């Protein structure tokens, strides 16, 4: 069987590895002229690292990742710690797999190298998918340069603006969330010693929040600052922003954050878009995976991890139902739809929690979290169990 995969992002590359694992030939079509990803960080929780380790990537990941010691919620202005949940060894003991912070370029490097080693030169750049024709026994994929390629199945891993999704379901534009995100990376050596703790911190404030954490073995500090603003709707990771605007958006916030933002040489800004959960992903022998079918706000740090879970479950369904690929794609969709929709909704909820402005609402929401963190610190990981203990390796159709 041959699978055509549209998109060589986290989802597409992981899908290539998972499908190759069960003996399916893959061809990966990437629109841009190079693979790789932008200079930003990504968090990989144990529900994702479980799969990546199973695919043989533990050594390569551990060479580039940073192992955070905890996750903290803090107030953006005063810096007061609302809660601390231990990660590090605690997360490995609880879920069996680590929590990584990693530079996106490094993650892409690890995945691309693994695909090349396992499958050969199957990733074709400058190969944007523009359309498809479904047949009973396969899919013809049309490329922007006018050429075509054939597969027994097609997996659309082509992101939030997925051309595969548009071909299957018609064009429905993603919605602007009314929020923009700043991002930047600062060499740790350019910062005062111990400015940032070795934890991921969500700094919360009225209508905005900041997330900070280390990547690349601790050599860089990654920050993302999200602000409710409707005056910027340009999407794309590489839109340069103005540092004065960034500092204005977080004026009066904690001095550590001011120092960090002052040190960012080139901040980037982009508008955040998402979609309501889709009712359907698959049609015959074509399906969707990752942001193509469930783009989400980044407030649970799960979009990439959900794409990794999708990829593994898809391969399990195809292995179990190889005689009927269309049925396998339908099974995959059934197994994944409600979990990913739940995470999409959870990300919205987190956004509301982080951005509360009313003092009474803040006290009501943050007070119990702060109390629990201090009175029963051992129990603070439990609310994450449904997310992190999901074992994609044992899911069966
Ligand atoms: C600020 C921010 C922080 C985040 N933090 C986290 C985090 O900590 N943890 C986490 O798990 N997730 C995080 N995410 C979400 C994560 O980045 C995405 O969910 C993830 O990148 C989705 O992967 P994907 O492969 O589905 O799509 P993409 O990463 O969008 O990849 C799609 C690929 O398809 C290509 N493509 C597009 N159109 C075509 C076409 N027509 N033909 C061929 N190729 C095409 C693109 O060039 C791209 O290479 C964050 C997102 C943001 C915005």
């Amino acid at each position: 069987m041959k699978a055509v995969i549209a998109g060589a992002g986290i989802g597409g590359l992981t899908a290539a590895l998972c499908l190759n694992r069960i003996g399916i030939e893959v061809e990966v079509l990437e629109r841009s002229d190079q693979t790789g990803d932008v200079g930003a960080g990504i968090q990989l929780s144990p529900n994702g690292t479980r799969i990546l380790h199973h695919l043989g990537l533990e050594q390569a990941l551990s060479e580039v990742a940073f192992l955070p010691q905890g996750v903290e919620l803090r107030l953006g202005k005063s810096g007061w710690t609302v809660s601390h949940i231990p990660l590090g060894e605690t997360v490995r003991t609880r879920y069996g797999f680590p929590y990584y912070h990693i530079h996106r370029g490094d993650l892409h490097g690890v995945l691309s190298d693994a695909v090349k080693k396992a499958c050969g030169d199957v990733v074709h750049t400058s190969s944007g998918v523009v359309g498809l024709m479904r047949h009973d026994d396969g899919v013809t994929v049309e490329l922007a340069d006018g050429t075509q390629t054939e597969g027994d199945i097609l997996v659309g891993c082509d992101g939030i603006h997925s051309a595969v999704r548009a071909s299957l379901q018609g064009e429905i534009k993603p919605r602007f969330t009314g929020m923009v995100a700043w991002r930047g990376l600062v060499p740790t050596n350019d910062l005062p010693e111990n400015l940032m703790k070795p934890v991921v911190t969500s700094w919360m404030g009225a209508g905005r929040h900041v997330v900070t954490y280390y990547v690349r073995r601790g050599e860089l500090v990654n920050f993302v600052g999200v602000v409710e603003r409707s005056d910027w709707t340009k999407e794309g990771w590489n839109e340069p922003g103005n540092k004065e605007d960034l500092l204005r958006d977080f004026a009066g916030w904690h001095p550590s954050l001011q120092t960090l933002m002052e040190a960012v040489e080139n901040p980037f800004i982009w508008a955040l878009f998402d979609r309501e959960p889709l009712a359907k992903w698959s049609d015959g022998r074509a399906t969707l995976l990752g942001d193509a079918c469930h783009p989400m706000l980044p407030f649970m740090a799960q979009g990439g991890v959900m794409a990794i879970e999708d990829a593994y479950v898809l391969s399990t369904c195809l292995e179990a139902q190889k005689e009927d690929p269309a049925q396998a794609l339908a099974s995959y969709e059934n197994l994944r739809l409600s979990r990913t929709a739940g995470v999409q909704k959870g990300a919205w909820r987190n956004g509301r929690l982080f951005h509360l402005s009313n003092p009474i609402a803040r006290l009501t929401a943050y007070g119990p979290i702060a109390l629990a963190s201090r009175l029963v610190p051992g129990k603070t990981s439990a609310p994450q169990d449904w997310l992190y203990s999901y074992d994609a390796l044992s899911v069966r159709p």
Side-chain angles (χ1 to χ4, degrees), residues 5-13 29-32 34 36-37 41-45 99 104 108 127-130 157-164 181-183 213 224 226 237 270 272 289-292 294-298 300-307:
I5 295 173
I10 297 168
L13 293 174
L29 305 170
E30 167 56 46
R31 184 179 57 187
S32 69
Q34 53 188 12
D37 210 333
I42 185 160
Q43 305 181 53
L44 294 176
S45 51
Y99 197 109
R104 281 170 182 268
H108 268 258
S127 300
V129 171
V130 292
C157 309
D158 48 347
I160 188 167
H161 297 288
S162 171
V164 176
W182 292 94
R183 72 171 174 87
Y213 56 87
V224 173
V226 175
W237 290 87
W270 79 102
L272 292 175
L289 183 155
D291 277 11
H294 48 67
M296 55 186 73
L297 285 167
M300 282 181 85
Q302 283 293 316
V305 175
M306 287 299 119

Side-chain angles (χ1 to χ4, degrees), residues 107-130:
L107 176 60
H108 268 258
V110 168
L111 292 170
S112 299
D113 289 351
V115 169
K116 192 161 187 169
K117 195 166 161 209
C119 319
D121 286 321
V122 294
V123 178
H124 306 307
T125 52
S126 305
S127 300
V129 171
V130 292

Side-chain angles (χ1 to χ4, degrees), residues 183-254:
R183 72 171 174 87
L185 280 173
V186 183
T188 309
N189 285 341
D190 291 357
L191 296 168
E193 210 170 322
N194 301 325
L195 181 81
M196 292 291 153
K197 292 197 256 177
V199 298
V200 50
T201 307
S202 294
W203 308 74
M204 307 179 292
R208 63 206 65 211
H209 76 280
V210 174
V211 178
T212 53
Y213 56 87
Y214 288 97
V215 294
R216 194 168 287 163
R217 301 171 289 268
E219 292 159 22
L220 298 166
V221 177
N222 178 71
F223 91 88
V224 173
V226 175
V227 189
E228 291 173 16
R229 256 173 69 170
S230 51
D231 60 336
W232 184 279
T233 51
K234 267 198 244 176
E235 224 186 337
W237 290 87
N238 292 318
E239 290 291 337
N242 179 316
K243 202 198 294 195
E244 278 65 48
D245 288 345
L246 166 66
L247 292 171
R248 197 173 315 115
D249 274 345
F250 294 98
W253 277 47
H254 193 268

Side-chain angles (χ1 to χ4, degrees), residues 4-180:
V4 176
I5 295 173
I10 297 168
L13 293 174
T14 311
L17 288 173
C18 291
L19 297 184
N20 174 72
R21 179 189 68 87
I22 56 158
I24 293 181
E25 180 193 347
V26 293
E27 178 179 13
V28 185
L29 305 170
E30 167 56 46
R31 184 179 57 187
S32 69
D33 57 5
Q34 53 188 12
T35 58
D37 210 333
V38 291
I42 185 160
Q43 305 181 53
L44 294 176
S45 51
N47 45 321
T49 57
R50 176 193 294 274
I51 298 164
L52 298 178
H53 283 197
H54 183 73
L55 293 171
L57 305 180
E58 177 172 7
Q59 178 64 28
L61 288 170
S62 66
E63 283 169 15
V64 290
F66 178 77
L67 285 171
Q69 294 308 304
V71 48
E72 293 194 340
L73 291 179
R74 294 176 70 175
L75 299 185
K77 288 194 172 169
S78 67
W80 189 70
T81 302
V82 176
S83 67
H84 173 96
I85 299 176
L87 293 176
E89 275 313 306
T90 309
V91 88
R92 204 189 275 265
T93 306
R94 194 174 181 93
Y95 304 109
F97 295 88
Y99 197 109
Y100 290 134
H101 287 168
I102 188 161
H103 186 289
R104 281 170 182 268
D106 294 342
L107 176 60
H108 268 258
V110 168
L111 292 170
S112 299
D113 289 351
V115 169
K116 192 161 187 169
K117 195 166 161 209
C119 319
D121 286 321
V122 294
V123 178
H124 306 307
T125 52
S126 305
S127 300
V129 171
V130 292
L132 57 105
M133 283 177 289
R134 276 161 289 145
H135 323 289
D136 288 343
D137 57 354
V139 183
T140 303
V141 181
E142 298 167 338
L143 304 185
D145 64 5
T147 59
Q148 295 184 336
T149 188
E150 306 277 338
D152 297 299
I153 60 166
L154 168 67
V155 189
C157 309
D158 48 347
I160 188 167
H161 297 288
S162 171
V164 176
R165 194 198 53 72
S167 296
L168 292 176
Q169 306 190 355
E171 185 64 65
I172 309 164
K173 293 214 177 309
R175 67 185 164 195
F176 174 53
T177 59
M179 288 179 261
V180 301

